[in-house]
């Protein structure tokens, strides 16, 4: 119950109000002045700053925990080719990290064009495992068809929601977050999480994080598919994928740029049986390629013009360049007098070339 005299000020952090700080007095002779209001506002600003820092600290801790779980999933992905084990781990960790009540992973059966519940966790898990949905049916089907993630925080108001599924399981799906699994421009499945705990709503940040899990799942499905092929003609390819997994495992152990680039170059030289090589990173600000790792060159410049050499061709086209006789190619910039052939491939993030790997 407020007193006879009352004043309140917002707890502002930047342009966002975190709450309100108020004081009141029941004595009839008490009244507040504008000076007291200013003092209360100053105290509130300090309190809001502390509260905001505490919030940021909690968010940082949560983000660190999420990244640790993603790294754990990535490690499991590169250390196991058992499809069900890897996919179960991915769904379990996604549920844990996003505080969901239940979750499923559905794979596309390309022969029947259906979505199959392969991995399920939660109260209705036994009833769902193995069930099939037509491609495009329901919210998860719409995600598979559109190739776009979906957040539905009120399923009852969404016409795509399959109410019959809940009826058969007696489980109430209040909210759904679903993201597609895509590999090589092909939808291989969908991961969905159901009902955030304590009635919270799924957010765009949750969607981005689950997309990272879906990427791991898509890779797991593709690796398992490739590694179950028994045709002896593909034995060499399987060995190459094993080596690529080892490369991925080693690269994931470090976030230090030069260490990662040195490992990349080392494996590139080994895979190509090459005698010299380099890795350059594009610096658009200086309009150069910075050479951050190199092996066995007579002379290695710190930078190269972004539009010169075979690396310049790769950056411009976004395509690999193979020259079997560099003496016949005017673009070649000599770094080793013994070089006769060079392979240069782009290092890409999305559609953008961010660097070049050269082996000679």
């Amino acid at each position: 119950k407020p007193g006879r005299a009352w004043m309140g000020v917002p707890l502002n952090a930047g342009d966002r109000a975190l709450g309100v700080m108020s004081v009141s007095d029941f004595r009839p002779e008490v009244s507040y002045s504008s000076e007291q209001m200013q003092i209360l506002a100053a105290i509130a600003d300090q309190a809001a700053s502390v509260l905001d820092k505490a919030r940021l600290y909690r968010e940082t801790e949560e983000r660190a925990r999420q990244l640790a779980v993603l790294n754990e999933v990535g490690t499991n992905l590169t250390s196991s080719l058992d499809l069900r084990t890897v996919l179960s781990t991915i769904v379990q960790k996604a549920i844990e990290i996003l505080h969901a009540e239940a979750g499923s992973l559905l794979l596309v059966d390309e022969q029947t064009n259906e979505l199959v519940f392969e991995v399920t966790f939660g109260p209705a898990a036994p009833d769902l495992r193995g069930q099939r949905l037509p491609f495009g049916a329901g919210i998860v089907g719409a995600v598979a068809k559109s190739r776009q993630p979906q957040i539905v925080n009120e399923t009852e108001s969404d016409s795509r929601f399959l109410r019959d599924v809940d009826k058969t399981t007696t489980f109430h799906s209040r909210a759904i977050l679903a993201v597609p699994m895509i590999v090589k421009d092909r939808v291989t499945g969908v991961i969905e999480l159901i009902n955030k705990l304590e009635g919270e709503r799924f957010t765009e940040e949750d969607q981005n994080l689950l997309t990272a899990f879906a990427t791991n799942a898509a890779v797991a499905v593709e690796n398992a598919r490739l590694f179950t092929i028994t045709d002896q003609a593909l034995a060499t390819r399987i060995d190459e994928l094993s080596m690529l997994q080892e490369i991925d495992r080693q690269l994931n152990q470090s976030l230090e740029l030069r260490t990662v680039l040195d490992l990349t170059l080392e494996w590139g030289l080994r895979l190509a049986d090459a005698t010299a090589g380099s890795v350059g990173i594009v610096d658009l600000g200086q309009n150069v390629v910075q050479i951050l790792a190199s092996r066995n060159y007579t002379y290695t410049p710190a930078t190269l013009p972004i539009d010169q050499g075979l690396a310049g061709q790769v950056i411009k086209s976004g395509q690999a360049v193979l020259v079997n006789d560099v003496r016949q190619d005017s673009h070649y910039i000599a770094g080793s007098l013994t070089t006769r052939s060079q392979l240069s491939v782009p290092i890409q993030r999305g559609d953008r070339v961010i660097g070049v790997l050269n082996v000679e």
Side-chain angles (χ1 to χ4, degrees):
K1 180 179 179 181
R4 296 186 61 174
W6 185 94
M7 64 177 174
V9 293
L11 293 165
N12 288 331
D15 59 355
R16 188 164 58 93
L18 302 180
V20 175
M21 178 179 287
S22 67
V23 295
S24 60
D25 198 297
F26 290 90
R27 293 171 293 178
E29 69 273 14
V30 173
S31 63
Y32 295 119
S33 66
S34 59
E35 289 79 8
Q36 289 173 313
M37 176 74 82
Q38 291 176 356
I39 293 172
L40 183 63
I43 294 172
D45 286 343
Q46 292 184 1
S49 177
V50 172
L51 289 171
D52 197 44
K53 287 177 181 177
R55 176 187 62 81
L56 290 172
Y57 179 75
R58 289 194 301 271
E59 289 179 355
T60 300
E61 278 193 321
E62 179 65 10
R63 183 59 176 161
R65 185 179 73 88
Q66 292 172 344
L67 290 174
V69 173
L70 272 176
N71 185 59
E72 179 186 346
V73 170
T75 301
N76 289 337
L77 177 61
T78 57
S79 62
S80 174
L81 289 173
D82 181 77
L83 181 60
R84 184 164 295 279
T85 298
V86 173
L87 297 185
S88 294
T89 299
I90 287 170
V91 178
Q92 281 181 306
K93 293 299 182 181
I95 291 173
E96 172 190 328
I97 204 171
L98 291 176
H99 308 295
E101 189 176 353
S104 303
L105 188 150
L106 301 88
L107 293 181
V108 176
D109 184 334
E110 295 183 353
Q111 292 184 339
T112 63
N113 200 32
E114 294 175 312
L115 288 165
V116 184
F117 283 90
E118 291 287 345
V119 177
T120 55
F121 289 98
D127 299 320
L128 283 176
R129 194 171 297 119
Q131 283 198 26
R132 292 171 172 265
L133 295 175
F135 197 87
I139 294 170
V140 292
V143 167
K145 188 174 182 178
S146 69
R147 309 162 70 90
Q148 298 297 320
Q150 292 279 336
I151 296 175
V152 179
N153 280 312
E154 297 177 2
T155 56
E156 292 297 334
S157 62
D158 195 303
S159 61
R160 300 168 301 177
F161 177 54
L162 298 177
R163 291 164 178 78
D164 290 343
V165 175
D166 269 17
K167 290 179 181 178
T168 60
T169 62
T170 68
F171 177 76
H172 181 48
S173 303
R174 301 185 308 274
I176 293 176
L177 166 61
V179 299
M181 295 161 46
I182 301 175
V183 62
K184 296 181 179 177
D185 202 37
R186 179 170 52 90
V187 176
T188 58
V190 176
I191 298 180
E192 69 166 344
L193 296 184
I194 303 173
N195 299 349
K196 288 202 77 170
L197 297 176
E198 301 178 359
E200 295 182 16
R201 297 170 69 86
F202 287 114
T203 65
E204 186 175 343
E205 185 176 339
D206 296 333
Q207 176 181 295
N208 293 338
L209 194 59
L210 189 60
T211 298
F213 279 95
T215 299
N216 281 339
V219 172
V221 171
E222 181 68 4
N223 283 351
R225 185 184 70 82
L226 291 171
F227 274 80
T228 53
I229 297 174
T230 57
D231 190 336
Q232 291 302 312
L234 295 177
T236 301
R237 176 58 177 157
I238 292 174
D239 289 340
E240 290 174 352
L241 287 172
S242 297
M243 189 173 292
L244 288 173
Q245 282 196 308
E246 176 62 18
I247 296 171
D248 187 53
R249 186 189 68 79
Q250 291 190 18
L251 292 179
N252 280 327
Q253 290 178 345
S254 174
L255 292 175
E256 205 282 318
L257 179 60
R258 289 189 180 272
T259 300
V260 169
L261 295 182
D262 281 337
L263 282 169
T264 300
L265 179 56
E266 177 183 336
W267 280 102
L269 293 171
R270 189 182 304 183
L271 285 167
D273 194 24
T275 56
S278 65
V279 180
I281 298 299
V282 174
D283 184 345
L284 293 177
Q286 301 294 323
N287 212 31
V288 297
V289 178
Q290 293 186 345
I291 307 302
L292 299 183
S294 64
R295 295 282 193 285
N296 303 326
Y297 284 114
T298 307
Y299 166 70
T300 305
T303 62
L304 289 172
I306 200 170
D307 58 352
Q308 294 184 18
L310 299 178
Q313 284 188 293
V314 170
I315 294 169
K316 182 178 180 180
S317 67
Q319 302 294 321
V321 172
L322 172 62
V323 177
N324 281 316
D325 189 348
V326 296
R327 295 169 298 182
Q328 306 299 319
D329 194 302
S330 60
H331 295 95
Y332 174 69
I333 298 175
S336 172
L337 298 177
T338 60
T339 291
R340 286 296 174 265
S341 62
Q342 177 170 325
L343 171 63
S344 298
V345 297
I347 301 173
Q348 292 180 290
R349 182 174 181 84
D351 295 331
R352 185 165 60 92
V353 177
I354 62 172
V356 181
L357 169 63
N358 305 298
V359 290
E360 303 184 20

